[in-house]
Amino acid sequence: MDKRMYNFIGLSLLASSLMLGNPQAVQAAHIDFDHQAKAAAAQTSKPADAKEQWYWLASDDNYSKYFDPESVVVTRTVETAHGKVPTEIQVWTKTTYSYGGAQDTLKAYGLSDKFPDASKLNFSTAQLVIRPQFRTVQCIAEHFYDASGKVIWSEANPAAKEKEINSQNFNEDFYAATVDQAFHQSREMERVNAKNRWLTVFDSTSPDGIYTHTKVDTSTMRMQGSNLVFWQWQEVKNSDGQVMEIKFLKMAVNLPQATEKAIAGQYWTPKTGWKSLDAAIDGQYRMVSRNSEEYRYIIELRNYVETHSAWVHRYGLE
């Protein structure tokens, strides 16, 4: 379960473009898979108070996030032309809470009545299963602790729902750090934390002053066949600069054909707040005309893929 949703409007403050160098191809070299498989089989619990094992990842007013690099194990692989590639990774993580963070967490988990005093929740540990080819995280075990290290709530669910990682998911830092550890790299964390992770692909102002700004999250970009898949943020403002609507969409763009479709997403207006768009998405591709102003969007994406080929094909099984 996600512990929070970030303030979506705050994303509009992120930088508009990403100009990283062309990274080298990411492969799964030098991973001792036999050792990792044995380690994964032996993992059944995680000590609550082992401070030397926890590596700090991020903090805000409500949460501090840590993970244990030694707990990262590759549990499934696929043999490819360039060796074995991890397709499933497990990790133990730790989260500490401020009073407000504990309140939000207990409410999200439906535990507010059981623990009316939020200060009872001091920290938690969780075992995650990560699938890098699909950018998903599955929480299969979680334990809540008080300040003394006593377990106050615990849950294990090997069939827990997988959730896709994007900028709104609480587990984004855990995902990035774990994948980097498994693949012996630092690129996922670097891209997630880059000030310019968002690439502006389309800006337009209509004759009556309506401004449309579209940017895409390059940390989520990956090629699936001819499709570039990513999460996109689009704002529409009136002539006074006030936000009229926002769309946060998972997109698939067929680059050779210049067609696009929405896969999932949410929609915001000042009147309605955030609403899911999933029921309204028909899954059909839409042609972007070469003669339209919007075609610049296709050109920007093609240029990015051409200059960042290794990144958008990372963890590929072809």
Side-chain angles (χ1 to χ4, degrees):
M1 173 179 279
D2 289 338
K3 296 182 177 69
R4 60 174 175 176
M5 288 292 290
Y6 292 100
N7 184 339
F8 281 83
I9 297 178
L11 275 176
S12 62
L13 300 176
L14 292 172
S16 62
S17 66
L18 183 59
M19 299 297 292
L20 294 179
N22 193 8
Q24 298 299 313
V26 178
Q27 297 186 6
H30 309 303
I31 300 177
D32 186 345
F33 291 103
D34 291 337
H35 171 76
Q36 293 216 24
K38 292 176 182 177
Q43 279 194 327
T44 57
S45 63
K46 185 70 179 172
D49 188 19
K51 295 181 180 179
E52 72 280 3
Q53 298 181 22
W54 301 112
Y55 179 84
W56 175 85
L57 297 174
S59 296
D60 61 19
D61 291 341
N62 290 323
Y63 311 96
S64 289
K65 301 177 186 178
Y66 308 80
F67 88 122
D68 179 7
E70 295 299 320
S71 74
V72 175
V73 290
V74 175
T75 49
R76 289 185 183 177
T77 64
V78 168
E79 189 73 47
T80 71
H82 49 272
K84 290 183 178 179
V85 176
T87 58
E88 182 180 278
I89 310 163
Q90 292 187 10
V91 64
W92 277 95
T93 68
K94 179 179 179 179
T95 304
T96 62
Y97 303 91
S98 69
Y99 187 84
Q103 278 186 315
D104 291 345
T105 299
L106 292 170
K107 181 178 180 181
Y109 281 66
L111 296 172
S112 296
D113 291 341
K114 185 174 183 179
F115 302 105
D117 179 7
S119 64
K120 185 75 171 177
L121 173 58
N122 184 264
F123 69 96
S124 64
T125 60
Q127 187 176 29
L128 307 180
V129 175
I130 289 172
R131 295 179 174 86
Q133 284 75 25
F134 300 98
R135 290 184 59 81
T136 60
V137 168
Q138 180 186 31
C139 183
I140 60 172
E142 194 159 17
H143 314 291
F144 287 1
Y145 299 86
D146 63 17
S148 69
K150 177 183 177 182
V151 176
I152 61 172
W153 180 85
S154 186
E155 182 178 71
N157 182 9
K161 182 180 179 180
E162 291 183 90
K163 297 185 178 181
E164 183 174 355
I165 295 300
N166 58 38
S167 59
Q168 302 308 304
N169 191 284
F170 181 83
N171 290 320
E172 182 181 57
D173 293 310
F174 299 138
Y175 169 87
T178 301
V179 171
D180 278 348
Q181 181 74 12
F183 282 87
H184 306 303
Q185 62 178 25
S186 60
R187 293 191 177 105
E188 290 287 340
M189 284 296 289
E190 289 171 356
R191 189 62 62 92
V192 163
N193 293 316
K195 293 180 180 179
N196 55 356
R197 71 183 265 185
W198 293 83
L199 172 68
T200 296
V201 291
F202 183 70
D203 276 322
S204 177
T205 303
S206 69
D208 55 353
I210 303 300
Y211 172 68
T212 301
H213 173 67
T214 305
K215 57 189 176 183
V216 298
D217 185 356
T218 59
S219 73
T220 65
M221 279 186 172
R222 62 191 184 277
M223 291 299 300
Q224 293 182 346
S226 296
N227 282 328
L228 179 64
V229 179
F230 54 87
W231 282 85
Q232 170 181 291
W233 181 270
Q234 184 180 81
E235 288 185 0
V236 178
K237 297 181 179 180
N238 62 23
S239 57
D240 295 325
Q242 296 176 324
V243 179
M244 300 168 58
E245 65 179 38
I246 301 173
K247 291 180 181 178
F248 183 56
L249 300 169
K250 181 181 179 182
M251 301 295 297
V253 177
N254 187 299
L255 295 177
Q257 296 181 7
T259 58
E260 65 170 2
K261 68 175 180 179
I263 301 173
Q266 295 189 334
Y267 176 77
W268 178 93
T269 67
K271 184 176 180 179
T272 65
W274 284 101
K275 303 290 184 182
S276 173
L277 282 173
D278 292 358
I281 292 174
D282 60 12
Q284 300 298 311
Y285 281 93
R286 179 182 72 89
M287 176 68 72
V288 180
S289 172
R290 180 181 292 271
N291 297 321
S292 68
E293 184 182 22
E294 193 181 1
Y295 196 75
R296 290 179 300 171
Y297 163 70
I298 300 296
I299 294 174
E300 289 287 349
L301 294 176
R302 286 174 177 170
N303 288 340
Y304 188 88
V305 168
E306 182 178 354
T307 56
H308 298 80
S309 177
W311 173 252
V312 298
H313 290 96
R314 65 199 185 280
Y315 323 134
L317 303 178
E318 297 82 10

